[in-house]
Amino acid sequence: MSITWIIGSIIFHFTIEKKTLSNNLSQFITIIVPCYNEENTIEKTIFELDKLDYENYEIIAINDGSKDNTETILNNLSKTYKRLRVIQLQKNAGKANALYLGLLASVSEIIVCVDADAYLDKNALDYLVPHFEDKMVGAVTGNPRVRNRSNILSKIQLCEFSSIIGQIKRTQSILGRIMTVSGVVVAFRKRALLDCGFWDRDIITEDIGVTWKLQRNLWNVKFEPRAICWMLVPETLKGLWEQRLRWAQGGLEVLIRHWNIIFDFRQKRLILILLEQVSSVIWAFSWAITMIILIGDFIVLGKGINFLQAVYLVIIALIQFFIAMLIDSKYDNKLKNYYIWSLWYPVIYWYMNAIIIIFALPKALFSKKGTFAVWESPDRGLN
């Protein structure tokens, strides 16, 4: 798959990424910011959102039953920023529910959802909004960039978001369907959300779920790498494990819920994404089983481990990182300085991702449908 992603990202870069977008930016926009225990981040986020290089927009912050001082801080911020409206919820009912209530309170057809610990580049809306001139575009996802880079885990994730996540989205865009929008920054057409039934409030990853629902209803979902969003990532193994386990569980829940697209010829492009994700699950189990067998042979039988194939895979991965980071360095001029940290990705993440899939599968299979998928405060790398 790495070679496919490399080729796809290069094609996207030279055929789509360089296109000039319309400068008709008069449409009123609503920015929705769901919050849960955000006392350390929300004030700075609202400050940054209030000074975007765009005239007509409002900000709606939804406090989803926070247990810290988020409620008080938002009330004070609403007195300072004229663009800001605040919705206070007494009970934590999950991010999807908060987004839904924010959408109901909005007055615009285009809404932009931003995480409470993320900053949009000043011109991010200039790149997101023009895509909606195409009446069949239901959502446009932006380009998350890692802003905390203080330890090895955050630096590896910095490389990952360029070479894995960004490259995959570019390739999937060439195919016409993508696995998921980035929940940290994504713009939606309200009519498209209404058409597909809004976010699933019982799936732990609402961004993956709504992406599939939109595409199943034949709405197009776009990736716009020029719409930059600066976010925080976990800096502890515990925080990273919990985040990736949640992502894996949510992805599997979506695959289980939408597996029957294989019987709908209209979904032929989405079927390719389904098969890609299923193959990733099979790869994870195969990788784990292979490692157990090899280690067992080494301990019990004294057989040496053949590292030749592993070296080949690592070389391909490093080439993938290099090309992806070269492309994304246009948006982050210091990015290439972190290439050396990509060496750790195959060592740490291949094993961890395989184990996470194994743990996530039973969670996805036995998750309770029809109940709110509430959220917990994540590790955001804040000291």
Side-chain angles (χ1 to χ4, degrees):
M1 293 304 298
S2 292
I3 295 175
T4 302
W5 295 334
I6 291 171
I7 295 172
S9 65
I10 293 174
I11 294 173
F12 180 91
H13 177 69
F14 286 104
T15 61
I16 298 177
E17 199 163 342
K18 291 181 176 293
K19 283 186 177 180
T20 301
L21 299 175
S22 166
N23 59 1
N24 181 16
L25 300 172
S26 59
Q27 188 165 3
F28 189 77
I29 304 298
T30 298
I31 299 176
I32 298 178
V33 186
C35 311
Y36 180 68
N37 292 349
E38 305 290 355
E39 63 180 6
N40 294 323
T41 63
I42 190 59
E43 187 169 359
K44 177 64 174 175
T45 296
I46 299 301
F47 172 78
E48 293 291 339
L49 288 177
D50 187 64
K51 60 180 185 178
L52 299 178
D53 185 19
Y54 194 92
E55 290 296 327
N56 300 318
Y57 70 98
E58 64 173 347
I59 305 169
I60 300 178
I62 304 94
N63 174 33
D64 191 31
S66 296
K67 298 177 181 178
D68 61 1
N69 292 320
T70 299
E71 179 179 352
T72 301
I73 293 172
L74 281 175
N75 285 337
N76 291 334
L77 291 174
S78 66
K79 299 173 185 177
T80 303
Y81 298 100
K82 295 181 180 180
R83 298 183 192 272
L84 176 64
R85 289 192 285 148
V86 174
I87 299 174
Q88 301 283 5
L89 304 179
Q90 296 306 307
K91 184 178 180 180
N92 173 10
K95 183 179 178 182
N97 184 66
L99 290 171
Y100 173 70
L101 295 176
L103 179 143
L104 293 181
S106 67
V107 297
S108 60
E109 173 63 9
I110 305 301
I111 63 170
V112 178
C113 303
V114 179
D115 279 357
D117 62 338
Y119 310 156
L120 291 182
D121 256 17
K122 288 186 177 181
N123 62 353
L125 296 182
D126 299 347
Y127 290 110
L128 290 172
V129 175
H131 286 279
F132 291 97
E133 292 189 1
D134 180 347
K135 300 303 181 182
M136 289 309 299
V137 169
V140 183
T141 184
N143 186 1
R145 313 300 310 163
V146 176
R147 78 173 193 261
N148 57 319
R149 309 175 180 187
S150 60
N151 72 359
I152 184 173
L153 286 181
S154 59
K155 290 173 183 176
I156 294 174
Q157 289 172 86
L158 168 66
C159 300
E160 177 192 29
F161 271 87
S162 292
S163 65
I164 304 298
I165 296 176
Q167 206 167 53
I168 289 175
K169 279 187 169 58
R170 286 179 170 89
T171 302
Q172 291 176 345
S173 296
I174 295 295
L175 297 175
R177 292 289 184 265
I178 68 174
M179 173 64 184
T180 179
V181 298
S182 296
V184 65
V185 53
V186 56
F188 293 103
R189 189 188 301 275
K190 187 183 292 184
R191 182 162 56 89
L193 289 171
L194 175 63
D195 181 51
C196 77
F198 305 104
W199 297 270
D200 289 318
R201 284 176 274 185
D202 58 349
I203 288 182
I204 200 168
T205 49
E206 86 298 330
D207 47 0
I208 305 177
V210 77
T211 305
W212 281 67
K213 291 175 69 175
L214 285 169
Q215 293 176 137
R216 288 201 69 169
N217 282 267
L218 304 182
W219 289 97
N220 293 326
V221 178
K222 301 290 186 180
F223 172 52
E224 178 47 72
R226 291 166 289 188
I228 305 298
C229 178
W230 298 96
M231 65 176 185
L232 296 170
V233 295
E235 291 188 339
T236 65
L237 284 173
K238 180 178 182 292
L240 184 62
W241 172 271
E242 291 174 348
Q243 180 197 66
R244 298 311 167 97
L245 184 61
R246 186 173 69 253
W247 288 3
Q249 178 185 339
L252 290 169
E253 288 174 354
V254 169
L255 295 181
I256 293 169
R257 187 163 296 188
H258 294 283
W259 69 270
N260 58 352
I261 65 169
I262 60 177
F263 301 114
D264 187 350
F265 180 74
R266 297 176 306 165
Q267 307 295 339
K268 54 185 178 298
R269 290 182 294 174
L270 193 55
I271 290 172
L272 293 175
I273 306 301
L274 175 69
L275 295 176
E276 176 191 346
Q277 296 305 307
V278 170
S279 66
S280 296
V281 174
I282 295 173
W283 173 88
F285 277 90
S286 300
W287 179 272
I289 293 171
T290 300
M291 288 299 101
I292 291 172
I293 292 173
L294 290 176
I295 294 172
D297 285 347
F298 176 75
I299 295 174
V300 177
L301 304 177
K303 290 184 178 180
I305 299 176
N306 186 352
F307 290 99
L308 185 59
Q309 186 176 8
V311 170
Y312 168 77
L313 292 174
V314 169
I315 291 174
I316 294 296
L318 293 178
I319 294 173
Q320 177 185 345
F321 273 97
F322 177 79
I323 293 174
M325 295 175 75
L326 185 64
I327 292 173
D328 259 5
S329 62
K330 174 182 179 181
Y331 312 113
D332 183 352
N333 54 20
K334 296 181 179 179
L335 185 60
K336 288 181 286 188
N337 297 340
Y338 293 90
Y339 176 71
I340 188 66
W341 296 102
S342 65
L343 293 169
W344 287 95
Y345 188 89
V347 177
I348 296 177
Y349 275 69
W350 283 357
Y351 293 96
M352 186 180 73
N353 287 342
I355 297 171
I356 283 173
I357 290 293
I358 294 171
F359 275 82
L361 185 57
K363 285 179 170 287
L365 289 172
F366 300 107
S367 62
K368 295 181 180 179
K369 295 182 179 180
T371 59
F372 287 122
V374 299
W375 50 358
E376 298 179 359
S377 300
D379 169 16
R380 293 193 178 92
L382 293 173
N383 296 322

